[in-house]
Amino acid sequence: MGSFCLLRTRFLLRPRIPRTPSTVMQRKYSLDVSAKLLRSQGYIDGRWISAATTFPVLDPATGEQIAQVADCGPAEAKQAVDAAYKAFNTWKQQTAKERSALLRRWYELLVQHKDELARLITFECGKPVSEALGEVVYSASFLEWFSEEARRCYGDVVPSPFRDRKILLLKQPVGVASIITPWNFPSAMITRKVGAALAAGCTVVVKPAEDTPLSALALAQLADQAGIPAGVFNVVPCSRAKTPAVGEVLCTDPLVAKVSFTGSTATGKILLKLAADTVKKVSMELGGNAPFIVFDSADVDKAVAGAMGSKFRNAGQTCVCSNRFLVQSGIHDAFMEKLALAMDSQLRMGHGSEPGVTQGPLINTRAAEKVAHQVQDAVSLGARVLRGGKRGQGSFMEPTLLADVTTEMLCTKEETFGPLLPVIRFNTEKEALAIANAANVGLAGYFFSQDVSQIWRVAEALEVGMVGVNEGLLSAVEASFGGVKQSGLGSEGSKYGIEEYLDVKYMCFGGLEA
């Protein structure tokens, strides 16, 4: 464990986070998944299709190739859009009950194959298998939820001011939806969007992240087994080189009515511009820079537990990860001591398939380099490394705790997307809110307090779309997910998620006898 030397209310800690086990880069890890679920072709109009070339999918922990996947291009993307448009004309005519039953069957198949799906996630994106299993359950829950919501797309009958007519508001599916998803939740980010779209009566074309196409293709296999009709669910995998061209088709084709994207704010702005020419409906779940505030009245142990879950889940690679930690002066030293000890005892790096591992690799070496750069920048400006701070082998980065952090450092200005926990000391509630709200994004925010009046004040004042009060993990299928400012447009999940795939049509039924 780390040792502390208290001196004038400041303390020094010996970094004790273990370095990346050298055996990870040397061992051979086997992806034990049935051939039926380990797909390498695109899925268009109910058929598995090849492309002229392929691209490699790598295990980020070892750098070893685990598959070669069809590198689809604009032609395949257009083919998928056409198939989805054709299927939309029949899918929208199915009753809500019929769509509900198919989504329910798809959900059941995910649960049935959860162990294999989790292994796919671990090998293509690196997260520990326990977290990968959690993602599969979370992913399946969106199909379950929207299978139920499919039968609740209620319209309205509005009292008319005229005796000879009736006013009705009808809910109708928007049409073909392009679904562009990230690598950090390669299964759940698809089902959260697709579940809502299919429940509403839309058809979809999915473009998964180039790092993690295998989970998307496994979902396609299970959708086919569930009886989802041809053309309703299409998957177009492609390499990083072909992503701009494929994305352009999916955002500009006149047959596409809706674009839903999860990813960086910079990419989201590009897609918004592409979709603007044909005035498509859009949903954007973009970047965050979540504050995590610990007030003097907080329960320190609960705050530490919340910080551990919020920061180190998926090695810090989630859009709602806490990025800026603000701790009030009166509780600062106790919080830092307990947090450092928790990092010592709870975090273990390694390949995600190994028992007991809590910290897998980052998605690639570029991601690890970014975190290391932020650490170097902070140290150059006066921050102190209390735990970790070093690059591991390959894509690994030590979980890192920084003290004496200021708002001038890169780690507080940029979304890190890695296991870096920088702590800013503050004195007043007003000061903390000013720092928290200074960002141009606002996805999630967290704070710990036992002062009821303060809880109401801060929850309302934080400029974010989601607030965790005395809780570091807030995602739930029943709750809306979305941000404010440059963190995006629209909501996903909850009863509101399906509204993103529906148009409201006003019908005036006149000529009635009074």
Side-chain angles (χ1 to χ4, degrees), residues 307-365:
M308 292 290 291
S310 179
K311 178 72 264 184
F312 296 115
R313 182 171 61 121
N314 198 19
Q317 299 173 111
T318 82
C319 54
V320 293
C321 265
S322 297
N323 205 65
R324 299 168 293 154
F325 288 75
L326 292 78
V327 183
Q328 200 160 12
S329 295
I331 205 171
H332 178 273
D333 289 0
F335 175 83
M336 295 293 278
E337 179 175 356
K338 291 190 173 185
L339 178 60
L341 294 176
M343 290 175 66
D344 286 341
S345 62
Q346 296 176 27
L347 302 182
R348 180 191 166 203
M349 290 193 296
H351 194 284
S353 65
E354 294 181 350
V357 166
T358 65
Q359 300 292 289
L362 300 191
I363 190 62
N364 51 43
T365 56

Side-chain angles (χ1 to χ4, degrees), residues 78 81-82 85-86 174-177 252-258 280:
K78 176 58 178 170
V81 170
D82 290 344
Y85 186 75
K86 179 182 176 182
V174 299
V176 176
T252 62
D253 193 292
L255 299 183
V256 173
K258 161 83 179 185
K280 301 188 190 304

Side-chain angles (χ1 to χ4, degrees), residues 35-86:
K36 183 178 289 188
L37 286 179
L38 186 58
R39 290 289 185 170
S40 60
Q41 296 171 293
Y43 183 74
I44 298 175
D45 202 16
R47 296 177 293 110
W48 295 100
I49 60 107
S50 298
T53 58
T54 61
F55 67 98
V57 179
L58 307 180
D59 179 347
T62 64
E64 295 293 319
Q65 178 179 300
I66 54 178
Q68 283 279 343
V69 173
D71 193 4
C72 296
E76 289 83 7
K78 176 58 178 170
Q79 183 184 348
V81 170
D82 290 344
Y85 186 75
K86 179 182 176 182

Side-chain angles (χ1 to χ4, degrees), residues 53-56 70-72 207 210 237-244 246:
T53 58
T54 61
F55 67 98
D71 193 4
C72 296
K207 207 271 329 160
E210 63 272 12
C238 67
S239 63
R240 186 181 301 274
K242 290 188 179 178
T243 289
V246 169

Side-chain angles (χ1 to χ4, degrees), residues 38-195:
L38 186 58
R39 290 289 185 170
S40 60
Q41 296 171 293
Y43 183 74
I44 298 175
D45 202 16
R47 296 177 293 110
W48 295 100
I49 60 107
S50 298
T53 58
T54 61
F55 67 98
V57 179
L58 307 180
D59 179 347
T62 64
E64 295 293 319
Q65 178 179 300
I66 54 178
Q68 283 279 343
V69 173
D71 193 4
C72 296
E76 289 83 7
K78 176 58 178 170
Q79 183 184 348
V81 170
D82 290 344
Y85 186 75
K86 179 182 176 182
F88 174 63
N89 292 315
T90 53
W91 179 248
K92 70 179 180 181
Q93 298 298 332
Q94 292 208 17
T95 67
K97 185 175 181 180
E98 288 169 337
R99 295 196 298 268
S100 173
L102 289 171
L103 284 169
R104 179 75 192 189
R105 177 57 183 151
W106 195 9
Y107 153 75
E108 291 168 348
L109 287 171
L110 260 70
V111 174
Q112 180 181 330
H113 294 278
K114 65 180 185 297
D115 292 330
E116 288 184 291
L117 295 173
R119 285 195 287 274
L120 274 178
I121 291 172
T122 292
F123 272 80
E124 68 177 346
C125 92
K127 68 177 61 174
V129 71
S130 59
E131 288 189 18
L133 275 168
E135 179 181 343
V136 175
V137 173
Y138 184 51
S139 176
S141 73
F142 284 108
L143 298 180
E144 179 187 36
W145 174 263
F146 286 114
S147 75
E148 297 162 351
E149 288 298 295
R151 302 178 68 179
R152 302 190 184 106
C153 294
Y154 306 131
D156 295 290
V157 177
V158 180
S160 173
F162 307 103
R163 294 179 184 277
D164 65 343
R165 69 197 70 172
K166 298 294 183 183
I167 296 174
L168 296 92
L169 303 180
L170 310 178
K171 299 282 185 73
Q172 295 185 317
V174 299
V176 176
S178 292
I179 307 295
I180 304 174
T181 56
W183 50 262
N184 58 334
F185 285 88
S187 181
M189 293 302 94
I190 293 174
T191 59
R192 187 162 74 187
K193 300 172 187 292
V194 170

